[in-house]
């Protein structure tokens, strides 16, 4: 059962409280900036994985604030090689010990680590290899909109393909901020694990904080690749 309200309607910003300080994602910004893809209840295919957004209205509980609860995967995938998790942290990037639960009763622990939802107001790069699932142009404070970029992040974990994943158990304790999980999926398709290109204007929108080809946040220019006749698939 969802136990936190992360997304509020712009007409009623006070209904959201992602961070404990009355701030929340704008549902309208999430929907609009994704071209409607991240509307409530929509299933998005992301890197070969189906991820379904919480099917609730803005201002309603819509995510799991990690407190040791078990989150079921709605459609277990036979032969899954990885699970994908969409979420964020508040009050700083954070980690906690979580568990993958298999149909046969076995489990596997892993570190669930998520970046801060504002990237410290764009002052820090994404942590733990997280990549952007959604980028929003403003957030909602208790008294109205505030001009801070916010992010939903994607992270994934490798799993045993000989077993069927049924659920994950979220951390009961974290290293720093609070962890928030919005959706979990599974896939039998291997995926790329690096963002190697970004737009030249990435600095303007904070998206330069994700591309990291060489481990030093240097990367190819999508515009230069296009000039050379090469189309880049990952466009951040």
């Amino acid at each position: 059962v969802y136990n936190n309200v992360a997304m509020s309607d712009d007409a009623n910003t006070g209904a959201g409280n992602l961070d404990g300080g009355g701030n929340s994602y704008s549902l309208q910004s999430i929907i609009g900036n994704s071209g409607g893809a991240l509307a409530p209840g929509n299933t998005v295919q992301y890197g070969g994985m189906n991820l379904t957004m919480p099917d609730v209205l803005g201002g309603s509980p819509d995510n799991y604030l990690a407190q040791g609860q078990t989150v079921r995967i709605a459609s277990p995938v036979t032969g899954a090689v990885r699970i994908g998790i969409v979420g964020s942290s508040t009050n700083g990037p954070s980690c906690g010990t979580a568990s993958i639960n298999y149909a046969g009763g076995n489990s596997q622990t892993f570190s669930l680590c998520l970046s801060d939802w504002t990237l410290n107001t764009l002052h820090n790069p994404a942590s733990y290899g997280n990549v952007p699932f959604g980028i929003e142009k403003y957030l909602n404070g208790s008294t109205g909109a505030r001009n801070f970029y916010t992010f939903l992040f994607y992270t994934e974990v490798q799993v045993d393909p000989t077993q069927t994943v049924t659920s994950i158990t979220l951390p009961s304790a974290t290293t720093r901020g609070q962890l928030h999980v919005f959706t979990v999926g599974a896939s039998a398709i291997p995926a790329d694990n690096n963002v190697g290109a970004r737009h030249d204007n990435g600095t303007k929108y904070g998206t330069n904080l994700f591309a990291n080809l060489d481990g030093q946040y240097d990367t190819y220019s999508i515009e230069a690749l296009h000039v050379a006749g090469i189309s880049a698939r990952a466009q951040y």
Side-chain angles (χ1 to χ4, degrees):
V1 178
Y2 297 134
N3 61 347
N4 180 263
V5 180
M7 304 180 191
S8 62
D9 277 306
D10 290 356
N12 185 21
T13 61
N17 189 17
L18 173 73
D19 63 353
N23 298 305
S24 59
Y25 293 100
S26 160
L27 181 60
Q28 282 73 22
S29 185
I30 286 175
I31 294 172
N33 226 37
S34 66
L38 301 187
N42 274 12
T43 297
V44 179
Q45 188 175 78
Y46 189 88
M49 186 171 306
N50 291 326
L51 296 160
T52 302
M53 293 298 291
D55 191 11
V56 298
L57 298 175
S60 303
D62 54 17
N63 74 98
Y64 303 97
L65 170 61
Q67 296 177 337
Q69 65 270 58
T70 295
V71 177
R72 185 175 63 89
I73 296 177
S75 300
V77 176
T78 301
V81 297
R82 57 196 173 96
I83 61 167
I85 299 167
V86 173
S88 64
S89 68
T90 52
N91 303 307
S94 192
C95 287
T97 300
S99 297
I100 298 165
N101 305 311
Y102 295 106
N106 297 330
S107 64
Q108 166 190 336
T109 60
F110 70 99
S111 291
L112 176 58
C113 299
L114 293 166
S115 302
D116 182 84
W117 71 308
T118 69
L119 293 178
N120 190 25
T121 60
L122 298 184
H123 284 89
N124 296 116
S127 305
Y128 318 116
N130 291 173
V131 295
F133 184 78
I135 302 174
E136 295 73 52
K137 295 183 178 180
Y138 60 93
L139 62 80
N140 284 337
S142 57
T143 58
R146 303 177 64 191
N147 290 324
F148 292 104
Y149 272 78
T150 64
F151 303 85
L152 288 169
F153 300 101
Y154 172 85
T155 188
E156 63 180 43
V157 183
Q158 303 301 304
V159 299
D160 184 350
T162 67
Q163 304 188 65
T164 299
V165 180
T166 58
S167 63
I168 66 171
T169 299
L170 300 180
S172 57
T174 57
T175 57
R176 186 176 174 185
Q178 297 175 328
L179 294 178
H180 298 261
V181 170
F182 292 83
T183 184
V184 181
S187 177
I189 303 171
D192 300 331
N193 63 358
N194 182 271
V195 179
R198 67 165 177 260
H199 288 292
D200 290 348
N201 66 354
T203 301
K204 178 178 179 181
Y205 299 107
T207 54
N208 61 315
L209 300 175
F210 296 98
N212 187 14
L213 180 69
D214 64 353
Q216 302 296 318
Y217 293 94
D218 300 313
T219 189
Y220 291 105
S221 158
I222 288 172
E223 283 72 20
L225 290 172
H226 284 174
V227 170
I230 302 170
S231 178
R233 184 162 61 112
Q235 299 186 4
Y236 299 108

